[in-house]
Amino acid sequence: MAGRIGKLTWWEIFARALLYLWCGFSIFVFLWVINSSLKTNREFFSNIWALFSTPQTANYEKVWVTYQLGRYFINSLLLVLPSVLALLAISAPAAYVLARIPFPFREGLTRIVSFGMGIPYQLLLVPLFFLLFRLGLINNLLGLILVYVALSVPFTVFLLLGYFRTLPRTLEEAAEIDGCGPIRTFFQIMLPLARNGLVAAAVLNFVGLWNEFLLALTFLNRQSLYPLSRGLYALQGSLQYTGDWVSLFAAFTLVVIPTFLLFILLSRTIVAGMTMGAVKE
């Protein structure tokens, strides 16, 4: 057939070529940053493309201890992990009820949740700031956790909603025959079956909140509370003036590694959760 090579069209070949080029470029940049972080500043400025001669692990120790990246790392964990757990605890039951249990105004409530995904959170910065100020939660990790959870619930519910809709209803009918109530059915049967969807939601939210910057910049002004994104921004400003670029690359590497490892270890589970949620009953 004209316009096809084997089973692929010219458009599919072009799209795949672009995808491979983008992946190759991203891997090259990531490896270049790691290589640069293991150089001395003299080696880096003499030839930015050359491989390091002797790995300078002291660059990582410097940014971790001297520039307090270790403290920022712990702050990010204290922010992101409770936020993700709270998101799953709120969004999973909500998505299950919206997907499986008929009640009045269910479709309207589902549309409201979907509408929440389209509201740019930048528009909410000023009212959120005044709200947290009145509650005394400015420069408080708990305040930022509440903001993260509130702004991420619509996306998480929407993602899990599609997944719960794919689960067979015969399981619920069998559980009801065996005497299981709705709550027991959810926790003992449906929630374990939705494991892939839960992992996908957890990883996507973890990556998004781990790299979040604007909310942290707005609500956290005390340096001891900076998460990695906020601390890296401050670190970038200071290291640019000192010319210590290799330490800056080391900081970039330490920030990226956790999310990179998550995708490597859980990539199949994430893809399974995303694709199952895209299938209609």
Side-chain angles (χ1 to χ4, degrees), residues 105-265:
F105 310 111
R106 183 179 69 166
E107 293 300 324
L109 187 58
T110 303
R111 291 191 182 96
I112 292 175
V113 171
S114 303
F115 177 74
M117 295 175 55
I119 301 176
Y121 70 88
Q122 292 85 350
L123 298 177
L124 305 176
L125 286 179
V126 174
L128 282 175
F129 183 87
F130 282 106
L131 176 62
L132 293 185
F133 180 79
R134 291 178 180 178
L135 295 175
L137 294 176
I138 298 295
N139 285 321
N140 191 309
L141 295 181
L142 177 60
L144 191 54
I145 289 173
L146 294 176
V147 172
Y148 281 169
V149 172
L151 296 180
S152 303
V153 161
F155 166 76
T156 310
V157 170
F158 182 80
L159 179 64
L160 294 177
L161 187 66
Y163 195 90
F164 278 117
R165 283 174 174 168
T166 65
L167 299 178
R169 294 190 177 275
T170 53
L171 296 174
E172 293 168 301
E173 295 170 356
E176 186 177 0
I177 292 174
D178 290 338
C180 290
I183 296 178
R184 187 178 176 185
T185 300
F186 170 71
F187 282 104
Q188 293 189 356
I189 299 176
M190 308 306 287
L191 196 62
L193 291 175
R195 180 185 59 186
N196 289 341
L198 294 173
V199 171
V203 172
L204 292 175
N205 278 296
F206 182 91
V207 173
L209 298 179
W210 185 266
N211 297 315
E212 197 282 320
F213 172 72
L214 184 58
L215 295 173
L217 178 66
T218 304
F219 301 117
L220 295 179
N221 298 315
R222 191 180 303 164
Q223 187 174 0
S224 61
L225 298 176
Y226 283 176
L228 272 176
S229 57
R230 182 76 168 88
L232 188 62
Y233 176 75
L235 183 63
Q236 179 185 6
S238 62
L239 292 182
Q240 279 183 339
Y241 287 108
T242 60
D244 192 4
W245 287 95
V246 295
S247 295
L248 186 59
F249 289 134
F252 287 155
T253 304
L254 290 173
V255 171
V256 170
I257 280 177
T259 54
F260 181 77
L261 291 178
L262 269 179
F263 274 111
I264 292 296
L265 296 175

Side-chain angles (χ1 to χ4, degrees), residues 90-103:
I90 295 172
S91 302
Y96 176 74
V97 170
L98 291 175
R100 315 292 293 194
I101 300 178
F103 61 91

